[in-house]
Amino acid sequence: MRKLSGDVSEILGQQKGLGERMETLEERIAAFETKKPAGGGGDPAPVGVLYDYRILEHVRQYNIKDTGGHEAEMSSVRRCLALRDLPEIRTRYHTGTGNRKVQYSYRVVPEGPAGESEWVPVEFRTNKGAGADFSAILSLPQPILIGESFELRHEIEMVDSFSSHNEWVSMVVEYPTEKLNLNVFLPPSRTIQGARREISEGASQSFDKRRLVPQKVPGEDRIAMRWEEINPITGRTYTIYWDW
């Protein structure tokens, strides 16, 4: 009887913990919903689609180190909210031209003023999706629990990836996202022409094409092209093009 009583107490404790995490998750989602601009500027999730997590902010930057485009780095950091318990994380695998070295890492964002956690490198495997899409499936040392905030970092060392006359970088919005930032840093010794940004959906539909003006980075010997988008639309691709 004592063992049965202990088992029941343990189950009740687990249920209480799950209930508290669900309440926290609902409060956070409600808070994020109130931040969306009036007039339909948000990105409602497609009916019937369930997501593992929601991206609160996605910052991706490319640092092209030489005028020939032979050496470059990409760093992508996503701050996310878990919508279910995550024993592993699935994300879009970043393909492209040239040789590359890829690394993923993550960290849980603690509640309150506890400071930042250390980045934890993780192993991953790739999975072929529809068309030319690939997914990276990240193995976690311990699950991320529903309602927890976490950051996912994706780093690539690139060789000969930006060596042509016409170049571009892009971000595919694969999960509901509050904000994205796409930044490209280039050496100042090569002239940038025709810099522009556009949004696309599907193989041929593109729209919202706008000119970008490269800016000198204060205090640094490089120039930047920057794009910030609030409430980008899930499933669309956000691309920066330039000639040099």
Side-chain angles (χ1 to χ4, degrees):
M1 289 295 294
R2 285 197 299 270
K3 182 179 185 301
L4 178 60
S5 176
D7 291 342
V8 171
S9 297
E10 182 179 353
I11 292 172
L12 291 175
Q14 292 174 350
Q15 290 178 338
K16 180 181 178 182
L18 178 59
E20 290 173 349
R21 295 204 303 272
M22 287 297 296
E23 289 179 3
T24 300
L25 175 62
E26 291 171 356
E27 290 172 358
R28 290 185 176 183
I29 291 178
F32 295 135
E33 291 294 336
T34 60
K35 294 180 182 178
K36 290 187 176 182
D43 175 24
V47 176
V49 176
L50 299 177
Y51 293 96
D52 294 337
Y53 56 89
R54 182 175 189 151
I55 299 175
L56 311 180
E57 183 176 12
H58 188 175
V59 179
R60 177 179 292 177
Q61 67 179 39
Y62 293 82
N63 182 19
I64 302 173
K65 298 182 178 181
D66 62 278
T67 56
H70 301 298
E71 185 180 357
E73 296 174 340
M74 188 279 282
S75 175
S76 175
V77 176
R78 279 165 279 187
R79 177 166 288 219
C80 309
L81 175 66
L83 302 180
R84 64 182 70 182
D85 290 348
L86 301 175
E88 61 184 17
I89 299 175
R90 180 183 293 269
T91 183
R92 184 183 180 90
Y93 184 69
H94 186 87
T95 58
T97 59
N99 300 316
R100 53 193 55 221
K101 178 182 177 182
V102 180
Q103 182 176 356
Y104 287 96
S105 55
Y106 88 105
R107 63 184 179 186
V108 174
V109 179
E111 296 282 350
E116 293 186 341
S117 304
E118 295 291 330
W119 289 104
V120 179
V122 293
E123 299 292 330
F124 69 95
R125 66 186 189 276
T126 58
N127 183 41
K128 181 72 169 66
D133 290 342
F134 282 81
S135 293
I137 303 172
L138 283 54
S139 301
L140 303 179
Q142 61 184 35
I144 296 172
L145 302 180
I146 184 172
E148 286 189 320
S149 296
F150 65 96
E151 290 184 333
L152 176 62
R153 184 172 67 183
H154 181 193
E155 298 172 293
I156 305 178
E157 295 180 8
M158 300 175 170
V159 178
D160 294 331
S161 294
F162 297 98
S163 55
S164 68
H165 175 65
N166 310 108
E167 290 293 353
W168 69 90
V169 298
S170 63
M171 292 176 64
V172 179
V173 179
E174 55 181 338
Y175 286 84
T177 300
E178 299 292 329
K179 181 172 72 171
L180 68 78
N181 285 276
L182 179 58
N183 305 314
V184 184
F185 297 97
L186 308 104
S189 53
R190 188 167 174 179
T191 302
I192 307 300
Q193 298 177 332
R196 60 203 184 277
R197 40 147 282 193
E198 70 176 52
I199 303 172
S200 59
E201 186 170 11
S204 58
Q205 183 181 3
S206 61
F207 43 88
D208 196 22
K209 301 178 182 180
R210 301 186 188 184
R211 180 170 174 255
L212 279 179
V213 179
Q215 302 286 339
K216 179 75 170 61
V217 179
E220 298 184 25
D221 189 26
R222 57 180 183 167
I223 59 175
M225 294 182 289
R226 304 178 188 270
W227 185 2
E228 178 180 292
E229 189 79 11
I230 304 298
N231 292 317
I233 303 301
T234 306
R236 291 184 178 176
T237 302
Y238 295 75
T239 305
I240 292 177
Y241 296 91
W242 73 94
D243 302 330
W244 67 342

